[in-house]
Amino acid sequence: MKRILFACFLLTASLTVTSVQHASAQAVTAASFSTKVNQMDSYIGAGNMTMAQSTFDELNAMMKNVLAVSKTSIHDAATPADAATHKTILANQVSLYRAIWKLKTDLATNRVVIHGKLVEFDATIY
C-alpha cells in the first residue's frame, strides 16, 4: 500500500513540474521574438549557418507557443465576437507559419523572404 501511495506521489510531482515548465515556456513577447529574428538574420549574414539553424529552431518553438496561446485565447474568449477575432489572428499566424516552414530548407537563399514573414508573424503576437 505504501508503495502504491509513493508511486502516486512521484507521478503527481513529476506532472506538476512538467506543467510549470510548460506554462513558463509559453511566455513569448513580440520584443523577444523580434530579437531572435534579428539574431538569426545576423547569423545568416555572417555565414554562420549552424547558429542560424539553431536560432531558427528556437524561433520555431516560439511560434508554436504563440499558436498555442492563440488557441487558448479562442477557447477562453468571453464572447463569440472575441473568439472570432482570435480565430482570424490564429488563421493568419498559421498561414505565416506554414510559409516560413516551407522556406526553412535554405535559410541563406530565402533570407529576405523568411525575415519578412517572421516580421509579419511577430506583428500577430499579443
Side-chain angles (χ1 to χ4, degrees), residues 35-60 62 104 107-108 114 118:
T35 299
K36 196 60 70 175
V37 169
N38 291 330
Q39 184 180 36
M40 184 188 77
D41 193 56
S42 295
Y43 287 136
I44 295 170
N48 189 344
M49 298 314 293
T50 301
M51 288 303 295
Q53 183 60 53
S54 176
T55 305
F56 178 84
D57 293 342
E58 292 175 41
L59 283 164
N60 185 44
M62 292 172 88
K104 75 171 180 76
L107 295 176
I114 205 167
L118 287 166

Side-chain angles (χ1 to χ4, degrees), residues 1-18:
M1 183 68 165
K2 288 181 181 179
R3 289 182 184 164
I4 293 173
L5 185 59
F6 183 69
C8 289
F9 172 75
L10 287 178
L11 180 61
T12 303
S14 68
L15 289 175
T16 303
V17 170
T18 303

Side-chain angles (χ1 to χ4, degrees), residues 15-28 65 68-69:
L15 289 175
T16 303
V17 170
T18 303
S19 297
V20 170
Q21 289 173 346
H22 181 68
S24 64
Q26 291 184 1
V28 176
N65 286 334
V69 168

